[in-house]
Amino acid sequence: MRHTIEVADIFRAAGPAYRVAHAGHLSLSQLKVMSAIEACRTAALGGHVEACSDCGYQRIAYNSCRNRHCPRCQGAAARTWLEAQEANLLPVGYFHVVFTLPAQVADIAFHNKALIYDLLFKAASETMLTIAADPKHLGVRIGITAVLHSWGSAMTHHPHIHMIVPGGGLTQDGRWISSRPAFLLPVRVLGALFRRLFLTRLLDLHNAGKLVFFGKMAGLNDRRAFARHIAPVRKKRWVVYAKAPFAGPEAVLAYLSRYTHRVAISNSRLIAFDGNEVTFRYKNYRCSGAERQQVMTLAAEEFIRRFLIHILPRGFHRIRHYGLLAGSARKDCLAQARDMLGVAPVPDEPPAAEAAPDPCPPCPCCGGTMMIIETFAAWCQPRGPPTARPPTRETIHDPA
């Protein structure tokens, strides 16, 4: 269902003026994302004409951009990804763990997204795997699904990693050890190791000359200035959040569906757009209860700016798997875990599925089957406008 207001509407109305005002300051990736969102589900990408085989109702359906930053296109991508992940779920409790960068480090990440985001993934995953493997804690190899978010609820730059971790793991001799029902690993220990690993490698990157800074932060290119900048976070506690297990595997999938393919803001959070200002819902985490849900209004230019700062570097993977769920060992590790848990193994070849449902949504008039009767290329229109007259059998099945 199309929302009343979409991010695409804001980009189409205010995007051209934003390009002119910021000419020379927008990256090629940002320009491509803007163009993709603006063209999504319009004649610019072509489409097809659908007709109901029962009542003859016809409608035009335009193609989607399929850009991973487009809020409207990510719903289908998330559903497809989740279907593929169902086979990886184990019948145990799953914990939600979040690793967040302090503000001083987040500022560095803003200028070096590919390097710092990758370092965030590596430091957080190594922290979890190291502490979990320590005999003082679990003494096992765990599995991790990690998802990068670079935004807060108000679309500000707030890089953090969401992890979904099964409550237990495999020992070196192949036994399954479960965690305590509501406790996975000590968060203070996780935070201390995460801080040490991240800062050590961050300094290595700076010493190797791989970090760059611009504008007000250009002075951080100097080694001593950089050391002074990160000095406060060396003594600061890095908070790692861990939530009690979900209700079950189904709840894990429901949760992942909200996090894996989310982009800076979803269309459902938009309230109003008058051509100049955008109003949307957000969560103020400094408040609790009913006061947490609040409303914010931004100028369209500021809204677009906040959206564009979350464009990922080209080729960057925002969903990664570690430990038992790492690609090279996932199949064998999951089979071993299921054997230890007494669960029937997943067949290598699933049984033949039933006939795939028609990709076209049902007819809004009678609920009948919609069939594609014509396709047209980008910037083109159908040979004739949609009509309510029932199409003939020859028209529906025209091989041309």
Side-chain angles (χ1 to χ4, degrees):
M1 180 190 301
R2 189 187 192 280
H3 296 280
T4 304
I5 305 169
E6 296 188 351
V7 171
D9 299 325
I10 301 168
F11 272 74
R12 290 175 192 137
Y18 188 88
R19 288 187 184 88
V20 173
H22 299 272
H25 297 281
L26 296 175
S27 68
L28 180 60
S29 296
Q30 291 174 326
L31 291 172
K32 286 184 175 180
V33 170
M34 291 182 70
S35 297
I37 293 177
E38 291 169 3
C40 187
R41 310 294 175 92
T42 68
L45 299 180
H48 59 268
V49 180
E50 302 169 355
C52 178
S53 58
D54 295 332
C55 70
Y57 170 79
Q58 294 184 14
R59 65 186 174 196
I60 295 177
Y62 294 110
N63 294 332
S64 59
C65 66
R66 298 191 179 184
N67 189 286
R68 64 172 174 167
H69 298 95
C70 177
R72 194 172 185 184
C73 292
Q74 289 307 295
R79 288 190 294 271
T80 301
W81 185 85
L82 288 174
E83 290 174 0
Q85 299 304 310
E86 288 182 354
N88 298 332
L89 290 176
L90 297 172
V92 298
Y94 279 74
F95 289 81
H96 175 206
V97 184
V98 183
F99 287 81
T100 305
L101 293 179
Q104 294 90 334
V105 181
D107 293 339
I108 298 172
F110 186 83
H111 292 257
N112 303 271
K113 292 181 179 178
L115 285 172
I116 303 303
Y117 290 170
D118 185 65
L119 177 56
L120 174 57
F121 266 115
K122 291 178 178 178
S125 61
E126 185 175 337
T127 296
M128 289 293 295
L129 294 173
T130 300
I131 301 302
D134 190 336
K136 296 180 181 179
H137 301 291
L138 281 177
V140 299
R141 186 183 184 205
I142 59 174
I144 301 171
T145 295
V147 183
L148 171 70
H149 278 190
S150 61
W151 55 88
S153 187
M155 299 173 64
T156 53
H157 189 241
H158 179 63
H160 55 285
I161 294 283
H162 289 269
M163 287 184 175
I164 304 299
V165 186
L170 293 173
T171 62
Q172 292 184 349
D173 57 1
R175 293 179 298 112
W176 177 269
I177 302 295
S178 297
S179 66
R180 283 186 271 173
F183 181 83
L184 181 64
L185 297 168
V187 292
R188 286 184 177 269
V189 175
L190 292 173
L193 180 57
F194 175 54
R195 178 183 60 191
R196 179 170 64 83
L197 290 176
F198 191 96
L199 291 180
T200 298
R201 295 173 186 177
L202 181 64
L203 283 174
D204 291 341
L205 289 174
H206 191 276
N207 293 336
K210 295 182 178 180
L211 300 182
V212 294
F213 300 95
F214 307 95
K216 296 180 179 179
M217 298 188 67
L220 295 186
N221 287 304
D222 179 73
R223 184 175 180 179
R224 286 180 292 184
F226 183 81
R228 288 194 299 269
H229 180 77
I230 65 173
V233 299
R234 288 183 173 277
K235 301 178 181 180
K236 183 179 180 180
R237 178 190 171 194
W238 288 34
V239 178
V240 176
Y241 169 85
K243 187 177 180 180
F246 294 90
E250 295 77 11
V252 176
L253 284 179
Y255 179 84
L256 282 176
S257 67
R258 299 195 299 269
Y259 274 84
T260 52
H261 291 70
R262 182 184 294 180
V263 189
I265 188 171
S266 61
N267 290 324
S268 61
R269 289 173 52 198
L270 299 177
I271 298 175
F273 173 56
D274 62 3
N276 297 313
E277 294 182 330
V278 183
T279 302
F280 61 94
R281 289 185 294 271
Y282 78 104
K283 291 182 181 179
N284 185 346
Y285 289 97
R286 296 181 179 179
C287 301
S288 59
E291 295 182 355
R292 173 165 290 186
Q293 292 286 347
Q294 297 186 11
V295 174
M296 176 178 292
T297 298
L298 296 175
E301 179 178 2
E302 174 62 13
F303 179 90
I304 293 176
R305 185 197 71 82
R306 293 194 185 189
F307 188 95
L308 293 180
I309 63 178
H310 305 296
I311 303 302
L312 291 174
R314 182 179 179 182
F316 190 89
H317 294 277
R318 64 181 175 190
I319 306 174
R320 304 185 185 185
H321 305 277
Y322 300 93
L324 301 180
L325 299 179
S328 59
R330 177 186 306 172
K331 184 177 180 180
D332 292 339
C333 290
L334 289 177
Q336 188 175 7
R338 289 191 178 96
D339 183 56
M340 292 293 100
L341 292 167
V343 181
V346 177
D348 292 336
E349 294 185 4
E354 298 179 359
D358 195 311
C360 299
C363 175
C365 297
C366 67
T369 302
M370 299 294 290
M371 303 180 67
I372 297 177
I373 62 172
E374 180 186 349
T375 61
F376 51 93
W379 294 112
C380 296
Q381 291 293 337
R383 287 173 292 182
T387 175
R389 179 174 56 84
T392 63
R393 182 176 300 275
E394 289 76 17
T395 301
I396 295 176
H397 298 285
D398 186 0

